[in-house]
Amino acid sequence: MIEPTVTMPPKRVRRPPVRRPVRPREAVRFPVLAVVFVCAACGLVYELELVALASYLIGDSVTQASVVLSVMVFAMGVGSLLAKRLRCRAAVGFGLVEAGLALIGGCSAMVLYAAFAWLGESRYVLVAFSLAIGVLIGAEIPLLMSLIQRAGRSGRAGRQAPAGEQDDAAGTVADLFAADYVGALVGGLAFPFLLLPWLGQLTGALVTGAVNAVAGGGLVLWVFRRDLTRRSRALLVAVNVAVLAVLATATVLVDDFEQAARRAVYGDRVRVAVHTDLQEVVVTGGREGPPDLFLDGRLRVAGQDEHRYHEALVHPAMKGTHARVLIVGGGDGLAAREALRYRGVRAVTVVEIDPGVVRLARTDPALATLNAQAFRDPRVRVVYADAFGWLREAADRVQERYDVVISDLPDPGITPSTKLYSEEFYGLVARVLTGAGRFAVHAGSAADRPRTYWTVDATLSAAGFATRPYSASGRTPGFAAGPDRADRVSGKGRGPCDWGFLLAVPGDRPPVLGLAPDAPRLRSLAADTLAAAARRAERTRGAALPPSTLVHPRYGA
């Protein structure tokens, strides 16, 4: 009898688990998205810091913002293309990109300020930083995408991925860009509301760079550490430590640097330097001589010659009824000082956007002496508001009517001032003037920038005013009166300065240029000098120009 053969089942051999070089995709995704969020916030802070500092140092914020944004977006495309060359070494490449971005972005404000202070030119430095930062930001997402894809492939250990897993690349891209955009939102809000008020531009950029270095280096050295060789790991540690050391040293020395740069810009006689919520205010001058006042680096008051400017601005407008006077700007109190010299003045309203300027004009002994303690006069009322918005409300109040309106504002070529030289703004002024009221406008330099000056004239005419041009001249130290920051005088003495003014009245009959019978004794102004001033301004007239409006500003540096 033949017994059947029993076949035993094969013995199962247990294979050791495959060790993955990196973590699976789902374990990697959350830390990667967190770092994308942080790096995007840092990148937008660098961008906004360049725009803000360039507007302050160079002027014309619209132009500077356009240059920074367009160059940076172009450079981001270049960075995305260059990132292809680093895909095979994505981990170490991303770590080095973030370290470079932290160093360049963190130090950009100091270098830009140093170039302006000691070289007098920062436009090329601005473009260079915009290019470098844009290239590095553009390389971030492609490198991170490569790392996540490699993590996913290693998690499948050579198996064919299901269809849903194959399609997950689109979801990963969506997650990355969502984290990037939300981080940009947070960075954009943190810059004006947290970094600038608490740390300032220089320290804020350095701290942002440190956060960027810690986030980028930490991601690679922690999450993707198994994707690094020993040499690459040592390189990244050394580079990040060096970057953090440079940023920390710069943070410690930032106050000394700022003082040295300020001396290079303003000279050795800086008496007061404060940052208000809106601008930097610097007062220079010795104890014996009159002070000079700078707002965001632009000379607003030249102590020795300010009487020429303010007498020419105020007194021609006081010929006629002048019981109620409105001064737009003039936070230094000097235009108010001139108006208060008339006994017939019963009330002076000063509309100033920056309380810090008025506070300094009240409390600084030199400025308070220069403005004759104007803000202590009971006839003076100070309103802290944007002049455009305040006039819109005042125009609807019947009691708010003024015999004289004086526009003592920065040059119209400076972008923040443009709306206060628009046809719409002048229309609001016309609504608060009495029928016989007079309106005096500082309109920039008639000799140096005649196109800007005569654009103001055309804008006043479009708003229903008849105008009379005139100018005044003096010699001012420091910076030129215009918006171009490269025009500063670099310690070689005092340079000539020209101020252009326009006297306007409602209607089509130009006003008579002269002084009131009760005008006080003036140091630089008389009937004959006013006639010469009118002829001097008239000689700069060119072809007719279109008016400037809110939606079509026509002023330029």
Side-chain angles (χ1 to χ4, degrees):
M1 180 177 180
I2 300 175
E3 296 183 0
T5 304
V6 178
T7 303
M8 301 295 293
K11 194 173 183 179
R12 302 181 69 179
V13 180
R14 298 185 65 182
R15 297 181 181 179
V18 178
R19 299 186 64 180
R20 300 169 182 171
V22 293
R23 298 182 180 184
R25 180 181 296 186
E26 291 303 322
V28 167
R29 179 171 297 185
F30 177 76
V32 167
L33 293 180
V35 170
V36 169
F37 172 86
V38 173
C39 293
C42 294
L44 197 66
V45 168
Y46 301 144
E47 184 177 321
L48 295 176
E49 168 259 320
L50 285 178
V51 171
L53 196 57
S55 301
Y56 161 53
L57 298 178
I58 304 172
D60 191 0
S61 59
V62 171
T63 299
Q64 308 318 319
S66 300
V67 169
V68 171
L69 296 178
S70 58
V71 170
M72 193 169 287
V73 170
F74 163 76
M76 287 170 64
V78 175
S80 297
L81 293 176
L82 294 178
K84 292 181 179 180
R85 300 178 178 271
L86 297 175
R87 283 184 300 179
C88 57
R89 304 185 65 185
V92 67
F94 180 77
L96 293 176
V97 163
E98 291 305 309
L101 183 59
L103 180 64
I104 294 174
C107 295
S108 58
M110 290 186 71
V111 176
L112 195 64
Y113 194 23
F116 169 74
W118 281 283
L119 301 179
E121 176 59 67
S122 53
R123 287 183 174 88
Y124 300 111
V125 179
L126 173 68
V127 173
F129 273 110
S130 301
L131 276 171
I133 293 173
V135 167
L136 295 173
I137 291 176
E140 289 176 328
I141 297 297
L143 292 176
L144 283 175
M145 190 63 197
S146 297
L147 288 173
I148 293 179
Q149 288 175 335
R150 291 180 64 182
R153 286 195 298 268
S154 65
R156 291 191 294 271
R159 294 180 293 106
Q160 179 66 36
E165 195 171 338
Q166 291 176 350
D167 295 337
D168 194 49
T172 301
V173 172
D175 290 342
L176 287 174
F177 279 106
D180 186 72
Y181 296 149
V182 174
L185 171 66
V186 173
L189 295 176
F191 178 73
F193 297 115
L194 295 178
L195 292 179
L196 277 184
W198 290 0
L199 300 177
Q201 287 183 325
L202 303 186
T203 305
L206 293 169
V207 171
T208 302
V211 172
N212 199 162
V214 171
L219 177 71
V220 175
L221 293 172
W222 172 44
V223 177
F224 298 107
R225 61 187 179 277
R226 295 177 183 175
D227 208 39
L228 299 171
T229 64
R230 182 176 299 178
R231 180 177 297 179
S232 298
R233 191 179 301 117
L235 174 63
L236 286 179
V237 170
V239 168
N240 279 276
V241 169
V243 168
L244 290 173
V246 170
L247 295 175
T249 303
T251 303
V252 172
L253 300 176
V254 71
D255 290 337
D256 294 335
F257 167 82
E258 191 170 357
Q259 291 177 9
R262 188 178 289 123
R263 286 194 298 269
V265 173
Y266 299 106
D268 295 328
R269 299 198 304 164
V270 176
R271 296 180 57 254
V272 180
V274 296
H275 287 274
T276 70
D277 292 338
L278 299 173
Q279 58 195 337
E280 181 187 56
V281 183
V282 176
V283 180
T284 65
R287 294 183 178 181
E288 298 180 358
D292 298 328
L293 174 66
F294 296 84
L295 302 181
D296 268 350
R298 298 178 179 90
L299 181 65
R300 287 293 293 151
V301 174
Q304 293 186 357
D305 278 348
E306 61 81 18
H307 64 279
R308 298 177 181 272
Y309 170 89
H310 290 100
E311 287 182 356
L313 173 66
V314 174
H315 293 284
M318 303 296 283
K319 183 180 180 181
T321 306
H322 45 249
R324 292 173 53 81
V325 179
L326 171 65
I327 300 174
V328 180
D332 48 52
L334 298 171
R337 176 200 65 193
E338 295 300 319
L340 292 171
R341 297 174 68 183
Y342 290 82
R343 294 182 178 180
V345 171
R346 297 200 308 270
V348 175
T349 301
V350 178
V351 181
E352 168 62 48
I353 194 172
D354 192 350
V357 176
V358 177
R359 188 183 309 116
L360 192 63
R362 279 176 169 157
T363 58
D364 182 76
L367 280 178
T369 300
L370 193 64
N371 63 37
Q373 304 286 350
F375 290 117
R376 295 189 179 185
D377 193 298
R379 294 174 291 174
V380 175
R381 176 173 70 108
V382 181
V383 178
Y384 300 117
D386 173 73
F388 197 101
W390 184 84
L391 271 178
R392 290 184 67 178
E393 297 178 0
D396 296 330
R397 295 194 295 267
V398 178
Q399 67 271 24
E400 296 285 359
R401 293 293 180 267
Y402 296 92
D403 304 304
V404 177
V405 177
I406 296 168
S407 177
D408 185 15
L409 296 167
D411 191 284
I414 302 172
T415 304
S417 302
T418 300
K419 73 174 183 178
L420 303 181
Y421 288 87
S422 65
E423 182 180 342
E424 291 86 348
F425 180 75
Y426 294 148
L428 295 175
V429 172
R431 294 174 62 186
V432 301
L433 267 178
T434 61
R438 296 160 76 86
F439 180 27
V441 180
H442 165 238
S445 173
D448 295 337
R449 290 178 300 281
R451 183 176 182 85
T452 296
Y453 177 82
W454 289 106
T455 298
V456 179
D457 179 79
T459 305
L460 283 165
S461 299
F465 287 98
T467 63
R468 181 72 67 184
Y470 65 105
S471 66
S473 60
R475 296 181 63 81
T476 59
F479 291 81
D484 188 356
R485 302 301 303 277
D487 289 342
R488 67 187 180 96
V489 179
S490 56
K492 297 181 180 180
R494 294 158 59 81
C497 180
D498 167 77
W499 299 291
F501 304 98
L502 290 161
L503 182 63
V505 295
D508 54 4
R509 298 185 60 181
V512 177
L513 200 60
L515 299 176
D518 60 339
R521 185 176 180 180
L522 305 178
R523 290 188 285 173
S524 64
L525 210 59
D528 55 342
T529 58
L530 271 177
R535 291 192 298 269
R536 187 166 55 245
E538 195 64 42
R539 284 196 294 266
T540 67
R541 185 189 291 270
L545 296 170
S548 180
T549 65
L550 289 178
V551 296
H552 197 164
R554 299 182 183 273
Y555 300 110

